[in-house]
Amino acid sequence: MKNVKLVAGANIRLDAFLQANLNTAAEMEKTPLSNSKIRRLIIAGCVSVNNNQIRIPGYNLKPKSTVICRIEEEKALYNKAPDDVKFEVTEKSILYEDENLIYINKPAFFPTEPTIVKERDNLHAAIVRYLWNKNPSLRNPPYVGIMHRLDRETSGVILFTKNRTVNKAIFDLFNSKDVEEGKVRNINKTYIAVVQKSLFPQKRKKGYKFKVELYMNRVTSKSAGCKWGIVPADKGGLYSLTEFEVKEVKADKVYLYAHPVTGRTHQIRVHLASLGCPIIGDSIYSKPDKRLMLHAFQLEIPHPVTGQKFTVTADCDF
């Protein structure tokens, strides 16, 4: 462990200041900290300014501010290789495309969007590459809008926009509060989730339906890994509802259709874990396995231009 003390000489962002000065001051020129690692140090609470812990990389330093950075060298120099798959968008992985929308069959172990590690590949970047290769005469990268997300370990249907004019219509669908206001939501998402038969507390019979509704919110700090759990409404919990149906029972596994009526982070994962039957391979709410057995099977929304119901499906590979 080493504490590195620096003094700012001008108005500057905290991350930019550390990027320019930290490696030299910490005598780490041979094994320098990357910009992404410096940002992670800030977010993890390892940096203080004038004796106040600062977790915001864009925090504005004033002249003569005293910055102390706490570095655990073993952790700082350790590069964990994420088990992300290599993926390029091809005609085979495109489920549907027109001038406004593009639906992709996302593989498991591939981030949906850019992460704090700038050099890490992601689905948004892969779609931009695909569209630019189709039209190489473009001077700037083609527009690709992120409307919703799938967890890195989750596979299946995901929608992006290609035209800003349809963004509001799509955004409103995914962020509608109709359910909480007693109205019918104008979007239907269907997932396939797999749980252990021995842990499943409901009727293990094809076609059996049940639902889980509870109040939930994030239960970890912003500097820790994202984990949601049951939180009472008066403590900031958000209403959530998922409708389930037993798809089939195979050997020691129960395959479920999951229809999230609301759209909370980790909703299906938290709901099944709350019943004592977490999704197989869920490293956050249970224990890791070969993969998280959760697949976005189907997405049904009104087309933002025609208004007609539009359904896209991606076959499940487990």
Side-chain angles (χ1 to χ4, degrees):
M1 172 82 73
K2 65 169 68 175
N3 288 332
V4 182
K5 183 177 179 180
L6 298 163
V7 178
N11 287 320
I12 187 173
R13 282 173 56 112
L14 176 59
D15 55 355
F17 175 71
L18 292 178
Q19 288 160 14
N21 298 280
L22 182 58
N23 285 312
T24 301
E27 299 180 344
M28 300 182 70
E29 291 87 344
K30 292 183 179 180
T31 52
L33 297 172
S34 66
N35 292 345
S36 61
K37 283 185 177 178
I38 289 173
R39 287 173 59 84
R40 288 203 294 272
L41 284 174
I42 299 170
I43 293 170
C46 298
V47 178
S48 64
V49 178
N50 298 330
N51 295 320
N52 295 312
Q53 187 183 67
I54 301 296
R55 296 177 182 266
I56 304 170
Y59 178 84
N60 187 46
L61 292 176
K62 295 181 180 179
K64 298 183 180 181
S65 294
T66 299
V67 180
I68 296 177
C69 185
R70 187 176 73 255
I71 303 174
E72 293 183 54
E73 293 182 75
E74 287 187 5
K75 292 183 179 180
L77 299 177
Y78 173 65
N79 283 307
K80 181 183 183 298
D83 55 351
D84 295 346
V85 298
K86 291 184 178 180
F87 179 72
E88 292 294 340
V89 176
T90 64
E91 297 291 341
K92 185 178 180 180
S93 58
I94 297 174
L95 301 169
Y96 174 81
E97 182 183 2
D98 60 24
E99 63 271 23
N100 296 297
L101 310 174
I102 183 167
Y103 289 78
I104 304 294
N105 187 4
K106 175 190 168 306
F109 300 107
F110 197 61
T112 296
E113 60 185 333
T115 67
I116 192 171
V117 182
K118 294 181 181 180
E119 60 270 19
R120 192 175 180 188
D121 199 10
N122 59 86
L123 185 56
H124 178 266
I127 297 172
V128 171
R129 290 195 299 269
Y130 166 79
L131 294 175
W132 210 348
N133 287 335
K134 281 182 62 176
N135 192 356
S137 63
L138 292 175
R139 296 181 60 183
N140 297 308
Y143 173 77
V144 176
I146 301 174
M147 294 293 104
H148 65 128
R149 292 154 182 79
L150 293 179
D151 294 338
R152 188 186 73 96
E153 296 180 38
T154 303
S155 58
V157 180
I158 184 167
L159 163 67
F160 293 81
T161 60
K162 295 167 55 180
N163 189 330
R164 287 184 175 84
T165 61
V166 300
N167 280 1
K168 186 180 185 305
I170 299 295
F171 179 85
D172 288 346
L173 287 171
F174 280 100
N175 293 276
S176 171
K177 294 184 179 179
D178 286 350
V179 175
E180 296 164 69
E181 295 171 356
K183 303 175 184 177
V184 176
R185 196 179 187 197
N186 204 15
I187 180 174
N188 294 299
K189 294 184 284 186
T190 303
Y191 290 74
I192 295 175
V194 186
V195 301
Q196 291 287 353
K197 181 179 177 181
S198 60
L199 300 177
F200 187 60
Q202 309 292 333
K203 292 182 180 179
R204 302 162 187 162
K205 183 177 180 181
K206 181 178 180 179
Y208 176 74
K209 297 180 180 180
F210 62 100
K211 66 181 180 180
V212 177
E213 54 184 335
L214 50 81
Y215 287 86
M216 58 185 289
N217 211 324
R218 183 167 179 150
V219 293
T220 53
S221 65
K222 290 184 179 180
S223 62
C226 181
K227 183 176 182 179
W228 282 53
I230 299 174
V231 176
D234 60 358
K235 301 293 184 181
L238 304 171
Y239 176 73
S240 61
L241 168 63
T242 306
E243 297 171 344
F244 294 94
E245 178 181 349
V246 176
K247 177 179 181 287
E248 58 185 329
V249 180
K250 291 183 180 180
D252 61 342
K253 297 180 178 65
V254 178
Y255 288 69
L256 301 168
Y257 285 127
H259 306 280
V261 182
T262 53
R264 309 304 180 197
T265 300
H266 292 182
Q267 178 173 307
I268 298 171
R269 300 165 69 173
V270 172
H271 281 190
L272 288 173
S274 74
L275 298 178
C277 56
I279 299 172
I280 293 173
D282 195 330
S283 59
I284 297 178
Y285 303 98
S286 180
K287 57 184 179 180
D289 205 327
K290 293 180 180 178
R291 65 156 293 183
L292 174 69
M293 298 193 74
L294 180 64
H295 176 78
F297 174 64
Q298 190 173 88
L299 177 61
E300 179 184 7
I301 64 171
H303 192 283
V305 176
T306 67
Q308 296 181 338
K309 280 284 187 180
F310 194 75
T311 304
V312 176
T313 301
D315 292 333
C316 182
D317 62 359
F318 55 72

